[in-house]
Amino acid sequence: ETVVILDHFGFAAVDNQEQFQMVLDLAKYNVIVKISALFRLNDEYPYDRVQKERFDKLLEVYGAERLMFGTDFPFVMDQDFGYKGAVELVRSWTAGDETVTNAVMGGTAERLFGAWGGR
């Protein structure tokens, strides 16, 4: 079955609940959602609304094994927090649950694309 990967939270900004509901409705299909481009979702750093209104709900509906971290490189480098800051922030959202952290921060991507370097 074909896997569909939605970039950037499905482009569902925090002020667009209708778009986000469509993303949630896609959970019944073979869809993966990238947790990426936090700065494109009409929230400000540290993206509390993105975490509470988007990430937490996606985690509940899709599960960690269908979420995949990304940054929107190279555009993340134009943000004050940069690449490292994006990694640290999303990792903090999964803190306390090693299974969720491992899936979101690399496990989902590895399952889909294979191990980096052919491990």
Side-chain angles (χ1 to χ4, degrees), residues 10-61:
F11 291 93
V14 293
D15 56 355
N16 190 343
Q17 188 57 34
E18 184 178 341
Q19 175 74 14
F20 189 58
Q21 187 59 54
M22 286 190 277
V23 172
L24 294 177
D25 291 344
L26 291 173
K28 61 187 169 194
Y29 302 106
N30 199 9
V31 173
I32 306 293
V33 180
K34 282 182 65 182
I35 305 305
S36 58
L38 308 173
F39 52 91
R40 297 189 187 278
L41 301 175
N42 293 346
D43 193 10
E44 294 184 21
Y45 187 84
Y47 306 109
D48 292 331
R49 287 188 67 196
V50 171
Q51 178 188 2
K52 292 180 179 93
E53 298 174 28
R54 296 296 182 256
F55 178 79
D56 290 349
K57 187 66 176 179
L58 287 169
L59 185 59
E60 174 188 327
V61 172

Side-chain angles (χ1 to χ4, degrees), residues 56-110:
D56 290 349
K57 187 66 176 179
L58 287 169
L59 185 59
E60 174 188 327
V61 172
Y62 277 81
E65 68 282 354
R66 294 176 60 203
L67 301 180
M68 179 169 57
F69 174 74
T71 61
D72 197 21
F73 187 85
F75 306 104
V76 71
M77 300 307 289
D78 295 331
Q79 306 303 307
D80 290 340
F81 54 86
Y83 186 93
K84 182 179 180 185
V87 171
E88 290 172 350
L89 184 62
V90 173
R91 185 180 298 275
S92 77
W93 295 351
T94 67
D97 190 328
E98 189 176 332
T99 301
V100 172
T101 301
N102 290 341
V104 173
M105 300 307 293
T108 301
E110 187 171 308

Side-chain angles (χ1 to χ4, degrees), residues 2-19:
T2 301
V3 176
V4 174
I5 300 173
L6 295 179
D7 256 350
H8 314 325
F9 291 82
F11 291 93
V14 293
D15 56 355
N16 190 343
Q17 188 57 34
E18 184 178 341
Q19 175 74 14

